[in-house]
Amino acid sequence: KNEVEQSPQNLTAQEGEFITINCSYSVGISALHWLQQHPGGGIVSLFMLSSGKKKHGRLIATINIQEKHSSLHITASHPRDSAVYICAVLASYNTDKLIFGTGTRLQVFP
Amino acid sequence: EPEVTQTPSHQVTQMGQEVILRCVPISNHLYFYWYRQILGQKVEFLVSFYNNEISEKSEIFDDQFSVERPDGSNFTLKIRSTKLEDSAMYFCASQDRGQRPQHFGDGTRLSIL
């Protein structure tokens, strides 16, 4: 069983829709990352959080440590948001490596 | 904004050949990582490097792999005798200190023929 699970695997939306991507993990963590992988393959860090909520522009990330669950929300989605969104955790017992989820492929159509 | 750069963007190599993937981390960063992503699969940790030595490595990082920071700016991953299953996208990342966001390069796509 994967230590980090994401849902859905694939997501299609119309421009302007509110998007939610979910991440559940089974290990204790010190922090959780949301990453964006572009169609060309490059990875960009969006958020790193260990509690509560963070907001950057149209992106909002929340985490519930007790429930071992995080969500990434995109408000007023746009075709340029089309990418793979990856959840990755920094395990409490190991501060070096990220453990990645399988990613959620988002396509936003005009 | 400073960024992590990786070269080459695409490397094609015959099976059994040695390959060196290069990374230039952000200049004031102290922690360095290599990850790989086989096509269609999730990103996997290979190795972390701090204070001129490996701090952790995964089961994937066997004796065929090595890392080096030869000149204080470059961070390299060497695969001594490549296998078909080494074909993947390899990502370098750097971090200024522990428990901080990692900054990723755009990756090197390695194709083994």
Side-chain angles (χ1 to χ4, degrees), chain B residues 57-74:
Chain B
K57 58 184 180 180
S58 73
E59 292 175 354
I60 304 166
F61 195 88
D62 61 20
D63 291 344
Q64 294 300 311
F65 290 87
S66 62
V67 289
E68 198 175 36
R69 191 158 156 79
D71 56 12
S73 61
N74 291 284

Side-chain angles (χ1 to χ4, degrees), chain B:
Chain B
E1 185 178 322
E3 55 184 34
V4 176
T5 56
Q6 290 185 242
T7 55
S9 56
H10 191 189
Q11 173 84 44
V12 181
T13 302
Q14 290 287 333
M15 186 173 62
Q17 295 295 306
E18 175 183 285
V19 65
I20 297 176
L21 309 183
R22 301 181 193 280
C23 171
V24 179
I26 295 173
S27 63
N28 62 339
H29 284 191
L30 302 176
Y31 296 78
F32 312 108
Y33 305 85
W34 283 103
Y35 296 91
R36 81 169 186 192
Q37 184 178 34
I38 294 171
L39 187 65
Q41 298 186 21
K42 63 181 180 178
V43 179
E44 301 172 288
F45 168 81
L46 289 178
V47 65
S48 57
F49 192 86
Y50 170 70
N51 202 24
N52 283 320
E53 61 182 24
I54 290 173
S55 46
E56 188 182 1
K57 58 184 180 180
S58 73
E59 292 175 354
I60 304 166
F61 195 88
D62 61 20
D63 291 344
Q64 294 300 311
F65 290 87
S66 62
V67 289
E68 198 175 36
R69 191 158 156 79
D71 56 12
S73 61
N74 291 284
F75 178 51
T76 62
L77 174 69
K78 183 194 289 187
I79 309 174
R80 285 189 189 80
S81 178
T82 49
K83 303 187 281 285
L84 294 175
E85 54 264 38
D86 294 327
S87 295
M89 185 78 115
Y90 288 79
F91 292 100
C92 172
S94 72
Q95 186 182 34
D96 56 357
R97 60 180 193 271
Q99 297 296 308
R100 294 272 294 161
Q102 294 181 24
H103 296 255
F104 288 81
D106 284 340
T108 292
R109 184 170 299 281
L110 178 63
S111 300
I112 307 300
L113 304 179

